[in-house]
Amino acid sequence: MATQILNKGVSRRRFLSGLVAASAASVVGTSLLAPRSALAATDAKATFTGEVLSGSHWGAFRAKVVNGVWVDTVPFEKDKHPTTMINGVREVVYNPARVKYPMVRLDWLKHGFKSDTSQRGDNRFVRVPWSQALDFFYHELERIQTTYGPSALYAGHTGWQSVGKLHSASTMMMRAISLHGTFLSKAGDYSTGAAQVVLPYVAGAMEVYEQQTSWPLVLEHSDTIVIWGSDPIKNLQVGWLVPDHSPYAYYEQLAEKVKNNEIKVIYVDPVVSDTQKFVGGEQVRVNPQTDVPLMLAIAHTLYSENLYNKEFIADYTTGFDKFLPYLLGEKDGVAKTPEWAEKICGVKADKIREIARQMASGRTQIIGGWCLQRMQHGEQYAWMLVVVAAMLGQIGLPGGGFGFGWHYNDAGSITSNGPLMSGFSGVTGVDPIHNGSYKGYSTYIPVARFVDCIENPGKTIKWNGHDVTFPEMKMAVFCGNNPFHHHQDRNKMIKAWRKLETVISIDHQWTATCRFADIVLPATTTHERNDIEQYGNHSNAGIIALPKVVEPMYEAKDDFDIFKDLCRRFDREEAFTEGKTQMEWIEQIYNGARLQGRGLGVRMPNFKKFWEGEGFIEFPAGQEWVRHESFRKEPDLEPLGTASGLIEIYCKTIADMGYDDCQGHPMWFEKNERSHGGPRSDKFPINLQSTHPKHRLHSQLCSSTEHRATYSVADREPIYINTEDAKARGIKSGDIVRVFNDRGQVLAGAVVTDDYMPGVCRIHEGAWYSPLEGGKPGTLCTYGDPNVLTQDVGSSKLAQATSAASALVQIEKYTGPVPAVTGFNGPTEVTEINPLFPAMDI
C-alpha cells in the first residue's frame, strides 16, 4: 500500500505540468499476480465463464475462463504438434512485469527533456493520468519537429509484430506519428540483416522469408539433406502469424526415412541440434564462424574432382570464371583445398572430400540457417551456400537446391488456395503536419547501427552502395518492441542512450526498454482485445478470429485507442481511424478476404456468422511446389531478380561498390575475434552462441514466471557448456557461473552437456537484461542477457548487419554472494501525493 502523504502546497497545474519533484514519496514493491490469485479476479472486469478460441505466435488454443479470469489453456485440436510454450501464453496477461498504469521517469517528470539521463534505468517512476502522459507525448513530438526537424525523431524501429491483422503495434505507431510529421526510419532487421541484403544481388530475392519446396517432394526426391547451422525442430514452434505446426508431420516422415537409410541427413553444426535428435543423421562439427572455409573446400573438391555441373554453371549462372582464380589460389596464392580449410574449420580434409562427394552423388537439398549470417562477414556464408548449390546444379529441381527459410513460418508445408487478408496500414494518404528538412542527414539508418547513430551524429558510413550520414537523434519512440533485447553490446548501448532527450515506450511488460524510457504507456496484450489473423503461415491453412479472452487489466489500452487519442491532440483522429471503430476495421479486413475468396472459389460466411460462430475457417489444400522451378524451366522468360537475371557467383554491382570487406565474389575473411585458435581466443577461449531460444520467442514469454521456471537453472537463464570446458573450470550442472569478456558480465545457470563441442557455449537470446545496479554501465546482469557480451559491429559495409555470433567469452564458477534477479518486476514506483491526485495502490 502506498502511504498517503499530504502535500497541500502543490497546485494541480504545477503537478500536471510535470515540474514538481516527488519531495515526499513512498517506495512501493510491485508483486502483481499469482497466476490464479484473487487479485486477478478482482481486477478483471468481466464475469464471463466459458471457452474462447484464439491464437498466438505459438499456435492456436482454447482459453478456459472462469468468472472473467483465464485459468487454463488447451491447444487447438487441429494443431497436431502443439508446442509446450502455449502453456506460458496466459502468463503474458498475469505476471509481475505487467505495465499497469501510465508512468513517467521521476527525473524526467521534474525536468522534462533537460533531465539527468544518467538516471535512466534506475527504475524510479511516477504514475500519471493518461491525459497527462499523452500530453507529454504530443508536446515532445511537437518540440522535436519544431526545434530539430524530422531527422531527430526515431520512430521507425520495429520488432516482431503483434498477432492480429489490426493491432500491429509498430504499424499503429508509424501511422499515427506519420500524421504528425516525418521521422527517421530504419532499414533491414536483426534476424536476417546480412542475408537479406546480399541475396537479392546473388539469387534475385531475399530468400530468407520465402516459402520453400513442398516437403512431400523433398521426401520423395532427395538423397541427401544438408542442414547447415539450422534447427527447424526448435524454431518452427513459433511463427510470424499463428502457426499450424504442419511441418512436424514431415519431419516425422523424414526420421523414418533416415532410420531406413532412404535419405542421408548431414548437420553442419558445432552443436547437436534438436532436429538431429528428432530426425537422426550425422553431425559434422565445425569450429564456430568458419563455415565459409568449409564451403570453399567443398567447392574446391567439386571442381578439382570434376563433380560440378558444368551445364548448370554455363546456363544459369554468371561469374564462375572470376571466382575460380580465388578458389584455386591463383589470385592470392592460397588454394582453398580441404587441407587449407581443415586448419581453420577443424573438419578433417578427407571428411570434407567425403561430404562433397556425397552431395554430388545424388539429389541434395541444402537447408541454411540464419544464425551464421549474424556474424562478421555474414554475407559471405549466404553467398557461398548459393555457390555450392549452383555447382551441384540442382537448383529448381524437387528435393534439390538451397533454401534459407526452412526453420521459419511453417515452411515446406503445402500452401492452400485460400485468400490472404490485408492488415491495418501505416499509410493514410494524409499529409503530415510537419514535413521539415532532414538537413542533409539520411532519412533512414541500418537498424543494427542505430546505437552507432546515437553515439556518432554526423558520421557517414557505407551501406549497400549508399552513403548514410547519421543525424543527431534526440527522441525515440518504441511500440511493441524491445531494442534492449535485440541490440548488441548492452553497456555501449546504455552509455549512448544517455544522449537522447526523450524516450517513449508503449508495451504491456516492463522490459528493459521500458525501464530505460522516460514515458511508459500500458498497452493491452493480444488477448485483451479483438482481432483476426491467418491460421498457418506459409501454409495459409485458414482464418481464425482472435476475440478478447479477458478484459484489459488495470489501465491498459489498445494501441488503436492510444494513438487515436494522441492524434486527437493534433486534429488527426479522423485520419487515423478513417471514422471506423476497431470492430468495423476487423470486419472490413475479413470482408476483403471474403471478396478475394470468391475469385478463388473459396466461399466464406458473412462476418457476423464467422465471428459469432466457431471463429475459424479452414481452406482447401493447394498444390505441391518447387522453389526456383520456373527459373530452371525458362530462365529467359522467368529470370531471377538479379542484374543479369542469373545466379551471380561474381556480382559486378557489389564489386563496383569497392568495399574491402565484401568484394565481387564470396571470400573468407578472418574475424576480429574467433575461438579455436582465432584472434583473441588466448584471452577469451569460448565462442558464445546467442541463437533463437527453445522456450520462448525472442524476449517474449521470458517474464512468464511459471513457464520460465520450467527451463531456468538456479533462477537464471541457462548456459550450455561442454563437459571438458566445465570440468576444467570446476563447474557442474546447476552451478551459477559468471560469463564475461571486455564488454560485460552476466550470471547464468550451468547445463553441462556433450551436445556442445569444446570451446562452444550458448545462452539463448531474449533473456531479459537484469542489472544489479540499474542504469550503470558495466554492472553485473543478474539473469543472463547474452547481449551484455556480444559485440556491436557491422557485418560489413554492404549490409551493416548485426554480428552477434562473433563473440568470445570466459566462464568461471561464481562464488560471491548470489544476488536476486532484478529484471522481472515492475519499477520502483515513487508516488507524488497531493489532494488533487491522491495516493493509489500501486
Side-chain angles (χ1 to χ4, degrees):
M1 283 290 250
T3 304
Q4 294 195 28
I5 302 175
L6 203 59
N7 188 352
K8 295 182 179 178
V10 180
S11 72
R12 185 174 188 273
R13 181 180 296 275
R14 279 189 72 200
F15 179 79
L16 292 180
S17 71
L19 299 176
V20 178
S23 55
S26 60
V27 177
V28 183
T30 56
S31 69
L32 177 54
L33 295 172
R36 297 173 178 84
S37 68
L39 182 57
T42 300
D43 277 12
K45 298 176 180 67
T47 57
F48 168 76
T49 294
E51 197 172 76
V52 181
L53 176 63
S54 189
S56 70
H57 287 304
W58 302 273
F61 58 85
R62 295 189 182 275
K64 296 187 176 181
V65 182
V66 177
N67 291 326
V69 180
W70 184 354
V71 298
D72 200 9
T73 310
V74 178
F76 186 34
E77 59 273 13
K78 291 185 179 294
D79 186 346
K80 304 304 180 184
H81 299 85
T83 170
T84 57
M85 281 189 273
I86 208 76
N87 297 321
V89 176
R90 179 180 58 85
E91 288 192 85
V92 175
V93 176
Y94 308 126
N95 74 77
R98 195 65 203 267
V99 181
K100 296 183 282 184
Y101 311 112
M103 304 288 281
V104 177
R105 186 171 63 84
L106 176 61
D107 200 64
W108 199 96
L109 190 60
K110 292 180 183 181
H111 303 294
F113 67 90
K114 295 181 180 180
S115 73
D116 178 4
T117 56
S118 70
Q119 294 183 28
R120 280 203 190 107
D122 70 5
N123 221 24
R124 294 186 297 162
F125 285 82
V126 178
R127 178 181 173 182
V128 300
W130 263 108
S131 59
Q132 182 186 13
L134 289 173
D135 283 346
F136 284 156
F137 194 164
Y138 164 61
H139 287 302
E140 282 301 284
L141 288 176
E142 192 72 18
R143 181 183 68 84
I144 292 296
Q145 289 286 358
T146 56
T147 305
Y148 303 108
S151 63
L153 174 62
Y154 186 52
H157 203 100
T158 58
W160 266 67
Q161 69 157 9
S162 309
V163 165
K165 283 289 179 279
L166 174 61
H167 292 287
S168 174
S170 297
T171 301
M172 292 275 183
M173 173 187 70
M174 287 187 281
R175 181 181 176 99
I177 293 180
S178 293
L179 288 168
H180 180 264
T182 51
F183 53 84
L184 179 67
S185 60
K186 61 97 174 176
D189 60 39
Y190 287 83
S191 294
T192 67
Q196 68 179 238
V197 173
V198 72
L199 286 174
Y201 292 112
V202 174
M206 287 174 63
E207 293 292 337
V208 288
Y209 298 129
E210 280 91 353
Q211 172 66 298
Q212 307 299 297
T213 298
S214 302
W215 261 114
L217 296 175
V218 176
L219 293 169
E220 179 182 355
H221 295 281
S222 288
D223 299 298
T224 303
I225 299 175
V226 179
I227 301 181
W228 206 306
S230 184
D231 195 355
I233 291 295
K234 170 170 69 72
N235 290 340
L236 285 168
Q237 294 180 91
V238 303
W240 184 250
L241 310 177
V242 180
D244 65 3
H245 298 128
S246 53
Y248 283 100
Y250 299 122
Y251 284 93
E252 290 176 339
Q253 296 175 46
L254 177 60
E256 190 66 22
K257 285 182 173 290
V258 170
K259 180 180 177 181
N260 295 331
N261 296 316
E262 297 175 48
I263 296 178
K264 184 178 181 64
V265 180
I266 300 170
Y267 305 86
V268 183
D269 204 317
V271 175
V272 178
S273 66
D274 284 1
T275 306
Q276 183 177 348
K277 292 176 182 179
F278 186 88
V279 170
E282 175 192 358
Q283 183 188 14
V284 177
R285 287 194 163 191
V286 60
N287 292 337
Q289 303 188 75
T290 65
D291 302 86
V292 170
L294 177 55
M295 290 175 173
L296 285 165
I298 289 172
H300 190 281
T301 302
L302 293 174
Y303 181 80
S304 61
E305 297 189 7
N306 201 28
L307 299 174
Y308 74 106
N309 189 317
K310 300 179 185 64
E311 291 76 17
F312 188 89
I313 291 293
D315 294 341
Y316 297 94
T317 78
T318 182
F320 187 64
D321 58 327
K322 292 182 173 63
F323 170 66
L324 269 183
Y326 174 77
L327 184 69
L328 302 179
E330 298 167 3
K331 184 175 180 179
D332 59 1
V334 180
K336 310 309 179 292
T337 64
E339 285 74 17
W340 165 81
E342 177 182 336
K343 297 173 185 177
I344 304 171
C345 70
V347 181
K348 296 294 185 184
D350 286 345
K351 184 63 181 179
I352 296 173
R353 292 187 179 92
E354 179 186 321
I355 296 168
R357 293 163 186 162
Q358 174 68 31
M359 293 172 75
S361 65
R363 192 69 58 83
T364 297
Q365 175 70 60
I366 306 176
I367 293 176
W370 295 351
C371 58
L372 299 180
Q373 54 88 51
R374 292 195 288 265
M375 68 172 75
Q376 276 190 293
H377 318 108
E379 299 90 346
Q380 307 303 311
Y381 151 75
W383 197 344
M384 193 62 214
L385 188 143
V386 176
V387 171
V388 170
M391 292 181 71
L392 293 173
Q394 300 169 11
I395 295 170
L397 296 178
F402 69 91
F404 287 95
W406 288 94
H407 61 287
Y408 179 70
N409 271 356
D410 304 316
S413 55
I414 297 174
T415 303
S416 78
N417 193 38
L420 288 168
M421 291 184 292
S422 60
F424 191 64
S425 174
V427 178
T428 62
V430 177
D431 291 336
I433 294 170
H434 298 280
N435 194 11
S437 169
Y438 284 81
K439 302 174 183 177
Y441 296 119
S442 296
T443 60
Y444 62 88
I445 51 175
V447 67
R449 305 273 60 79
F450 97 99
V451 169
D452 284 347
C453 175
I454 300 171
E455 195 174 45
N456 303 290
K459 179 181 178 180
T460 298
I461 65 168
K462 303 291 185 182
W463 175 76
N464 197 17
H466 303 279
D467 288 341
V468 175
T469 301
F470 292 152
E472 188 168 10
M473 197 188 299
K474 295 291 186 178
M475 179 178 176
V477 184
F478 303 101
C479 183
N481 68 86
N482 182 13
F484 264 83
H485 144 243
H486 53 225
H487 198 80
Q488 284 60 60
D489 197 343
R490 189 69 62 242
N491 290 308
K492 171 187 172 183
M493 184 176 184
I494 291 169
K495 293 174 187 175
W497 211 248
R498 294 175 174 177
K499 299 182 73 172
L500 297 172
E501 292 179 353
T502 299
V503 179
I504 297 176
S505 181
I506 302 102
D507 212 321
H508 49 71
Q509 310 285 307
W510 274 103
T511 64
T513 301
C514 289
R515 292 176 181 231
F516 278 85
D518 299 306
I519 300 170
V520 179
L521 304 180
T524 53
T525 67
T526 302
H527 314 297
E528 297 166 297
R529 58 201 185 204
N530 295 313
D531 216 319
I532 192 170
E533 189 55 276
Q534 306 286 153
Y535 177 65
N537 289 264
H538 286 310
S539 61
N540 191 33
I543 291 177
I544 186 169
L546 306 180
K548 188 184 298 183
V549 176
V550 293
E551 291 296 321
M553 301 292 289
Y554 303 100
E555 290 187 10
K557 291 188 177 185
D558 300 340
D559 298 303
F560 184 92
D561 291 332
I562 293 172
F563 288 109
K564 177 183 70 174
D565 289 349
L566 177 67
C567 288
R568 184 182 301 132
R569 283 159 169 78
F570 49 90
D571 298 322
R572 287 292 188 271
E573 179 184 356
E574 177 71 18
F576 180 81
T577 66
E578 296 184 22
K580 300 183 186 71
T581 66
Q582 293 186 41
M583 283 306 299
E584 286 170 341
W585 271 109
I586 293 169
E587 183 171 359
Q588 177 175 303
I589 290 167
Y590 175 86
N591 285 337
R594 189 179 180 216
L595 181 62
Q596 184 189 143
R598 290 177 185 171
L600 297 171
V602 177
R603 297 187 63 81
M604 294 166 54
N606 65 42
F607 178 74
K608 188 175 188 295
K609 186 174 181 181
F610 163 75
W611 189 264
E612 296 178 0
E614 175 63 13
F616 178 76
I617 298 171
E618 192 167 16
F619 295 147
Q623 300 297 312
E624 295 174 349
W625 179 80
V626 178
R627 180 143 198 86
H628 302 120
E629 182 179 47
S630 58
F631 165 65
R632 186 182 186 99
K633 286 183 175 178
E634 297 183 297
D636 294 328
L637 297 177
E638 298 286 346
L640 300 178
T642 61
S644 63
L646 304 172
I647 293 168
E648 301 211 351
I649 295 173
Y650 176 91
C651 179
K652 185 178 184 300
T653 306
I654 294 177
D656 288 347
M657 294 177 190
Y659 299 152
D660 57 347
D661 54 2
C662 188
Q663 300 179 27
H665 56 73
M667 300 170 63
W668 160 244
F669 294 93
E670 183 59 274
K671 317 306 170 195
N672 64 14
E673 52 186 78
R674 177 174 62 82
S675 61
H676 298 83
R680 289 175 57 82
S681 61
D682 54 339
K683 185 175 183 181
F684 300 109
I686 300 180
N687 180 264
L688 171 68
Q689 295 190 330
S690 53
T691 60
H692 191 284
K694 180 177 180 178
H695 302 287
R696 56 179 179 264
L697 167 56
H698 299 313
S699 64
Q700 295 182 51
L701 294 190
C702 197
S703 61
S704 299
T705 307
E706 290 181 358
H707 177 67
R708 189 173 69 251
T710 64
Y711 64 85
S712 61
V713 176
D715 201 28
R716 320 285 150 167
E717 182 71 12
I719 178 170
Y720 300 90
I721 313 171
N722 169 266
T723 303
E724 294 177 23
D725 293 333
K727 183 178 180 181
R729 293 162 175 78
I731 295 168
K732 63 182 185 300
S733 289
D735 286 344
I736 295 177
V737 299
R738 185 173 79 101
V739 192
F740 61 96
N741 57 21
D742 292 337
R743 290 179 287 274
Q745 55 178 337
V746 308
L747 296 184
V751 177
V752 179
T753 172
D754 287 326
D755 288 348
Y756 290 69
M757 67 183 288
V760 179
C761 72
R762 179 176 290 180
I763 303 176
H764 289 137
E765 52 91 359
W768 276 27
Y769 178 58
S770 304
L772 185 63
E773 299 177 79
K776 182 179 179 181
T779 191
L780 180 72
C781 176
T782 61
Y783 182 69
D785 173 11
N787 280 325
V788 171
L789 306 163
T790 53
Q791 61 175 319
D792 182 17
V793 297
S795 55
S796 78
K797 295 181 181 69
L798 182 71
Q800 293 286 0
T802 180
S803 294
S806 300
L808 298 184
V809 299
Q810 182 58 279
I811 306 170
E812 65 182 18
K813 185 174 180 178
Y814 182 71
T815 57
V818 179
V821 175
T822 60
F824 298 111
N825 292 304
T828 301
E829 293 162 84
V830 183
T831 307
E832 174 76 21
I833 308 302
N834 77 52
L836 297 178
F837 194 61
M840 289 175 261
D841 294 339
I842 301 292

